[in-house]
Amino acid sequence: MTGHVVLSDAARELFGETLPVAQRYAELLADVGVTRGLIGPREVPRLWERHLMNCAVVEELIPRGAEIIDIGSGAGLPGVVLGILRPDLSVTLLEPLLRRTVFLQECVDLLGLDNVTVHRGRAEEVRKKLKADFVTARAVAPLPKLIGWALPLLRNGGSLLALKGERAEDELAAARQDLSKQRPNVADVIRVGGGKVDPATTVVRVTVTTDLEAGTKAAPSKSQRTPGGRKKRGRKR
């Protein structure tokens, strides 16, 4: 369990009024998340600094009311964390493995996350069904493969936010040729959470600049339809 883990002041400040829900999620990760093989036991003492806070600071890049698809959500990082921290967001946790989707649905239900939906499937299978303003991914796949999964799910102007490690610049450079074969896009490496997490979280951001097919219009995002965004009242099934 996480009772022996002392929360830093930075964690308390970052999560604010959502901290009790984040603590419950951390307890789930440290308990059934470990027994079901979703989190390694060695990760429990550093759940907050290395995992929850590392994911939470990505919210700096996401405007109010945005719709997000979290590819290969696994244990819910970063999708569940973003759903906890930002009730204004609409988050779809996309995960192909049954045992993981079962855990994710349990988290959503136990934490009362009305703005989070669990969808079992692969990114390449849902590209005609699901669209979002942002696609997030953490420790899912090498960048060339990830962009092939993520970019078809994005609306025009939407961005892939891939949480990466210290070699993010090298990985992006190696993926430039693959990026050139995708929808027109711009890509960069940014670091978020400075002063909140150490080291700052490294994100490869790939933003699409045109639609899949010439002459088509992207569907308006929720943030475009409802300025300022609003919290969803019902949970999709």
Side-chain angles (χ1 to χ4, degrees):
M1 299 295 289
T2 58
H4 66 284
V5 179
V6 178
L7 290 180
S8 65
D9 290 338
R12 296 180 184 278
E13 182 177 354
L14 179 57
F15 283 92
E17 63 182 16
T18 67
L19 182 63
V21 183
Q23 286 179 302
R24 179 63 180 129
Y25 175 52
E27 291 170 357
L28 291 169
L29 288 175
D31 188 359
V32 295
V34 172
T35 59
R36 297 183 193 178
L38 298 172
I39 290 288
R42 294 183 179 180
E43 297 303 309
V44 173
R46 50 187 183 181
L47 271 177
W48 286 95
E49 282 70 21
R50 180 166 179 155
H51 298 288
L52 275 73
M53 293 177 65
N54 175 265
C55 292
V57 294
V58 176
E59 68 94 16
E60 297 177 9
L61 304 174
I62 304 173
R64 286 189 59 82
E67 294 178 321
I68 299 170
I69 298 173
D70 188 36
I71 288 182
S73 200
L77 302 166
V80 170
V81 175
L82 293 173
I84 292 171
L85 189 63
R86 293 279 301 278
D88 62 285
L89 302 177
S90 176
V91 182
T92 297
L93 307 177
L94 184 61
E95 169 58 49
L97 296 184
L98 177 60
R99 66 183 178 89
R100 293 176 179 174
T101 57
V102 169
F103 173 78
L104 292 171
Q105 191 62 60
E106 289 175 358
C107 288
V108 168
D109 293 340
L110 289 170
L111 302 176
L113 300 179
D114 293 338
N115 60 324
V116 180
T117 301
V118 179
H119 188 105
R120 186 183 176 194
R122 301 180 183 278
E124 57 268 38
E125 298 169 346
V126 301
R127 59 179 59 187
K128 294 183 178 180
K129 301 177 183 178
L130 300 179
K131 296 294 177 183
D133 307 305
F134 293 89
V135 169
T136 55
R138 183 177 190 257
V140 173
L143 193 56
K145 183 175 292 187
L146 184 59
I147 59 178
W149 293 342
L151 267 59
L153 300 177
L154 290 167
R155 296 189 176 97
N156 188 32
S159 297
L160 163 65
L161 304 176
L163 282 68
K164 290 291 183 177
E166 297 178 352
R167 297 184 58 82
E169 283 87 356
D170 293 337
E171 191 170 351
L172 177 57
R176 288 290 182 183
Q177 184 174 355
D178 296 278
L179 281 169
S180 68
K181 300 174 184 177
Q182 302 291 327
R183 300 166 65 181
N185 63 81
V186 293
D188 58 355
V189 175
I190 50 179
R191 288 172 175 81
V192 293
K196 299 176 184 178
V197 293
D198 185 20
T201 299
T202 301
V203 178
V204 175
R205 178 175 57 185
V206 182
T207 301
V208 296
T209 56
T210 64
D211 298 315
L212 282 170
E213 297 178 1
T216 63
K217 290 185 178 181
S221 68
K222 177 182 292 186
S223 56
Q224 291 171 323
R225 296 194 301 268
T226 56
R230 64 172 180 267
K231 183 177 178 180
K232 295 180 69 178
R233 296 297 180 185
R235 184 183 302 137
K236 297 180 182 177
R237 293 294 186 186

